[in-house]
Amino acid sequence: MGFPGVWMTESRSLTYRVVPKCACSTIGQILFYSDHGRFFDGDIHDSTEGLHKWSQDGSQDVISETVRARTGVTFTCVRNPYARILSSFFDKIAGIQRNGSRYRGNLVPQLIQKYGIEVGSPEDGFQFDQVKSFRRFLLFARDTIRWRRPMDPDIHWSSMSGHISTFIVNGGHYDQIFFTEKFNDGMKKVLDAADTPVKVDIEEVPRFNESEGHGPKRAHNVSEYFDDLSRHLIWEIYKKDFQLFKYDFDDPDNKMPTGEVDIEEVHAKLGR
């Protein structure tokens, strides 16, 4: 199966397992800068040179060789599951994508028809009941993950532990896992441990939020989106994420982790 979702610098100094909706645009740009001394001109997801990606056939052998030799520093980044699924909803379901269309073509019309989701439009300022629509989206997300219907689960709301485990199961090993909520501290530790061709001052790196400005802004506190049923669904979908990555399930408004990630525990529990 190899190492899907892996990006690596051409210098092999940094290997990153992408977890969607966890600062991957900013991290990808940092990888690119650490080799070339400049940021990629555009969305880093669209780059086809200057950064190895498993999705590019010409990169797979060098990524496999580097991962198995444990060359350089290998890492990933995680995010509070409540905030992550909300971000997925506002970006991929309620928002308009960079190409000016809805995400995945007819997905949103299907959700409107089958789940009663409302999303508004740019013309009306994205006016809709955010709480009601999000809770209906959550039912859809659970259906895709648990029963793979009406479609396979999407990478943007699949569990973080699922993304992270594929790397371990196929022979990879993480040196560091850090939190989006403590981004500068975590990214600095990764960079300090790596021998990159170009040094990166993390305090000077802009945030590359490619989904910002293309949809509605969240109108309420995080906790207001999650009633008892919604929290039950969140636990059903993301139980391992809360447990392994030390996030507070009991308080949706507490976005900060409650402890540090135990790397060995992650390998033991996700490598089975």
Side-chain angles (χ1 to χ4, degrees):
M1 185 177 179
F3 300 101
V6 168
W7 295 352
M8 187 182 74
T9 54
E10 291 184 331
S11 62
R12 307 194 191 191
S13 57
L14 292 166
T15 302
Y16 164 51
R17 202 316 176 181
V18 176
V19 179
K21 310 307 296 181
C22 296
C24 50
S25 294
T26 299
I27 294 172
Q29 288 282 9
I30 289 171
L31 265 62
F32 192 92
Y33 186 97
S34 74
D35 262 358
H36 306 291
R38 61 180 176 87
F39 295 115
F40 177 72
D41 184 14
D43 185 341
I44 193 64
H45 293 84
D46 297 334
S47 73
T48 56
E49 58 183 10
L51 183 68
H52 287 300
K53 296 178 178 178
W54 186 260
S55 60
Q56 299 166 182
D57 290 341
S59 292
Q60 293 186 359
D61 287 346
V62 68
I63 288 174
S64 295
E65 178 184 319
T66 303
V67 168
R68 294 198 166 101
R70 296 184 64 175
T71 303
V73 177
T74 300
F75 71 99
T76 193
C77 180
V78 295
R79 182 180 185 181
N80 184 290
Y82 286 116
R84 181 171 176 261
I85 188 70
L86 274 170
S87 177
S88 296
F89 170 73
F90 283 109
D91 175 19
K92 299 304 177 187
I93 305 303
I96 303 297
Q97 304 309 294
R98 298 191 313 277
N99 62 7
S101 301
R102 292 287 184 180
Y103 182 59
R104 293 182 67 157
N106 66 350
L107 171 61
V108 171
Q110 285 185 27
L111 295 183
I112 292 171
Q113 179 183 14
K114 295 182 179 179
Y115 288 84
I117 289 173
E118 302 170 358
V119 294
S121 69
E123 290 73 26
D124 65 14
F126 296 103
Q127 295 298 312
F128 65 98
D129 187 328
Q130 293 187 0
V131 172
K132 182 174 72 173
S133 288
F134 171 74
R135 290 174 180 173
R136 292 181 177 184
F137 161 71
L138 201 53
L139 287 168
F140 160 74
R142 187 279 307 270
D143 289 348
T144 66
I145 290 168
R146 185 168 182 180
W147 291 296
R148 308 185 81 85
R149 68 183 191 204
M151 56 179 275
D152 284 346
D154 185 271
I155 61 171
H156 296 92
W157 53 81
S158 297
S159 69
M160 296 182 292
S161 54
H163 286 293
I164 289 168
S165 68
T166 61
F167 185 77
I168 300 170
V169 168
N170 292 316
H173 186 278
Y174 294 100
D175 299 305
Q176 299 189 39
I177 299 175
F178 66 89
F179 306 108
T180 303
E181 296 80 10
K182 299 180 179 180
F183 184 83
N184 279 15
D185 289 345
M187 194 72 231
K188 185 176 186 302
K189 288 178 182 177
V190 169
L191 291 168
D192 285 348
D195 184 16
T196 59
V198 179
K199 297 304 176 187
V200 181
D201 182 350
I202 194 63
E203 300 296 334
E204 298 297 321
V205 175
R207 291 294 177 267
F208 294 87
N209 185 354
E210 300 298 343
S211 62
E212 189 173 18
H214 299 287
K217 292 192 179 297
R218 179 164 57 85
H220 310 285
N221 291 332
V222 171
S223 58
E224 295 179 57
Y225 292 88
F226 296 93
D227 59 5
D228 288 345
L229 173 59
S230 300
R231 292 181 64 200
H232 173 80
L233 294 174
I234 284 289
W235 185 249
E236 181 181 333
I237 300 169
Y238 301 122
K239 178 180 178 180
K240 280 186 178 180
D241 290 354
F242 282 104
Q243 294 176 331
L244 284 176
F245 307 124
K246 315 301 182 185
Y247 285 106
D248 186 352
F249 173 74
D250 295 324
D251 182 5
D253 288 322
N254 177 23
K255 68 177 184 178
M256 300 303 290
T258 59
E260 294 301 316
V261 175
D262 184 333
I263 293 278
E264 296 311 314
E265 180 188 22
V266 170
H267 283 96
K269 292 187 175 177
L270 297 185
R272 295 170 180 170

